[in-house]
């Protein structure tokens, strides 16, 4: 009994400083932001923002940005994981390392590369499309308000798809090969194998990847700011960009209100994730 008490005290003594540091670095800032947003000034700003058509457009663009970047990254990342895991690709480890480069390089570097690539005068993308005869003249990828958000979402997909490939690739590796062999002996075809073995095996990992991608999308700032700074005419302004502008103006209360809006959106997706995991366990 005495030995157990000593071990518990030692455990608390070792973990206590870490818990206190985590509380100071995470919980305290969150409480400060929420309390500032809940103040009288914060409530007035929140009412003004929620009644503003401009803020509604920012929320709409944030939703489009999140859906396009998350769905695109999931589809491309999962396809890459399946191809590398299929056994029909030589040196899968080498290709996996090459495909991880967009995820590894700094966001500023990736955004600058794509900004040059999207250029209507010297960009490689327009040059390739014109050479292939797919377009007659260069596309204004970053200056056309109707397509700029989708062009930037493609960069976000390029950056985050390797993360999905890595997670789902690990999940695919954990599926026993005997399971596929037994299904084939029972006459299962490729679609049946994918539907009844592959998808159920990666569901939980895919849910985690989706939640992480939503978090990445709701916090994405570098790609948009480096490429367009939210323009043209605000066509690529989403919540993180608007939050940064409020920060530049020194408006701490507006920053706190927008941060709380982002927190609420993230909490909704986290709740959906937790409910889906519980439903899967049941």
């Amino acid at each position: 009994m005495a030995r157990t008490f000593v071990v518990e005290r030692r455990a608390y003594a070792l973990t206590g400083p870490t818990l206190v540091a985590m509380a100071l670095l995470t919980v305290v800032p969150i409480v400060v932001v929420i309390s500032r947003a809940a103040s009288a000034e914060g409530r007035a700003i929140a009412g003004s923002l929620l009644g503003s058509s401009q803020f509604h457009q920012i929320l709409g663009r944030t939703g489009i940005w999140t859906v396009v970047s998350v769905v695109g990254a999931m589809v491309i990342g999962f396809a890459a994981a399946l191809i590398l895991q299929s056994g029909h690709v030589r040196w899968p480890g080498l290709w996996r390392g090459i495909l991880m480069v967009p995820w590894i390089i700094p966001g500023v570097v990736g955004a600058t590369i794509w900004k040059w690539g999207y250029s209507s005068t010297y960009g490689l993308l327009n040059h390739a499309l014109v050479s292939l005869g797919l377009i007659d003249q260069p596309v204004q990828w970053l200056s056309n308000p109707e397509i700029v958000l989708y062009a930037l979402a493609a960069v976000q997909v390029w950056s985050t798809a390797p993360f999905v490939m890595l997670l789902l690739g690990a999940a695919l590796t954990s599926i026993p090969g005997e399971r596929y062999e037994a299904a084939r002996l029972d006459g299962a075809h490729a679609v049946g194998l994918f539907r009844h073995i592959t998808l159920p095996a990666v569901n939980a990992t895919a849910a985690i990847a989706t939640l992480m991608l939503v978090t990445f999308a709701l916090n994405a700032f570098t790609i948009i700011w480096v490429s367009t700074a939210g323009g043209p005419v605000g066509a690529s302004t989403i919540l993180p960009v608007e939050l940064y502008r409020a920060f530049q103006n020194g408006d701490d209360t507006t920053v706190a209100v927008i941060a709380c809006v982002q927190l609420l959106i993230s909490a909704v997706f986290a709740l959906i994730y937790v409910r889906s995991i519980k439903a899967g366990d049941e």
Side-chain angles (χ1 to χ4, degrees):
M1 186 68 181
R3 180 178 175 80
T4 303
F5 179 71
V6 171
V7 171
E8 288 181 353
R9 285 189 59 183
R10 185 177 299 168
Y12 284 123
L14 291 174
T15 58
T18 303
L19 294 175
V20 171
M22 289 180 62
L24 291 174
L25 294 174
T26 58
V27 177
V28 172
I30 291 175
V31 171
V32 170
V33 169
I34 292 176
S35 61
R36 183 168 294 174
S39 66
E41 184 184 0
R43 292 197 299 274
I45 291 175
S48 175
L49 286 177
L50 294 177
S52 165
S53 60
Q54 183 181 356
F55 192 69
H56 293 167
Q57 292 175 351
I58 292 174
L59 288 176
R61 284 193 289 270
T62 304
I64 293 172
W65 163 269
T66 303
V67 171
V68 173
S69 58
V70 170
V71 172
M74 285 298 297
V75 171
I76 294 176
F78 192 22
L82 286 172
I83 292 171
L84 292 177
Q85 196 65 27
S86 65
H88 301 297
V89 178
R90 297 184 67 182
W91 309 306
L94 174 64
W95 286 110
R96 192 174 291 113
I98 294 174
L99 293 175
M100 284 301 295
V101 170
W103 173 252
I104 296 171
I105 64 175
V108 174
V109 177
T112 304
I113 291 172
W114 276 94
K115 186 178 180 180
W116 293 342
Y118 276 143
S119 172
S120 58
T121 54
Y122 52 81
L124 290 177
L125 181 59
N126 276 321
H127 177 73
L129 293 176
V130 170
S131 300
L132 293 172
L134 297 177
I135 57 175
D136 297 327
Q137 55 185 1
V139 178
Q140 307 292 328
W141 297 103
L142 300 181
S143 56
N144 185 340
E146 295 183 359
I147 62 173
V148 61
L149 190 63
Y150 299 99
L152 294 173
V155 181
Q156 177 77 357
V157 170
W158 170 80
S159 174
T160 55
F163 168 76
V164 178
M165 179 194 70
L166 190 65
L167 279 186
L168 296 186
L172 291 173
T173 306
S174 67
I175 303 174
E178 294 81 3
R179 197 176 297 176
Y180 287 107
E181 293 298 329
R184 289 192 184 95
L185 291 175
D186 291 337
H189 47 72
V191 176
L193 294 175
F194 179 75
R195 180 180 177 186
H196 298 292
I197 296 180
T198 304
L199 282 182
V202 302
N203 266 346
T205 307
I208 295 173
T210 303
L211 180 63
M212 295 296 293
L213 289 175
V214 169
T215 305
F216 296 156
L218 290 175
N219 288 285
F221 168 77
T222 305
I223 290 173
I224 294 177
W225 192 255
V226 170
S227 302
T228 64
V233 292
S236 61
T237 297
I238 62 174
L239 278 178
V241 176
E242 187 67 10
L243 187 149
Y244 182 68
R245 284 176 177 158
F247 177 76
Q248 281 186 315
N249 295 331
D251 191 347
D252 294 344
T253 308
T254 301
V255 170
V257 171
I258 297 175
C260 284
V261 172
Q262 285 187 266
L263 181 63
L264 284 175
I265 297 173
S266 301
V268 169
F269 282 99
L271 183 62
I272 294 173
Y273 164 72
V274 171
R275 290 177 67 88
S276 66
I277 292 297
K278 286 186 177 179
D281 292 340
E282 292 171 357

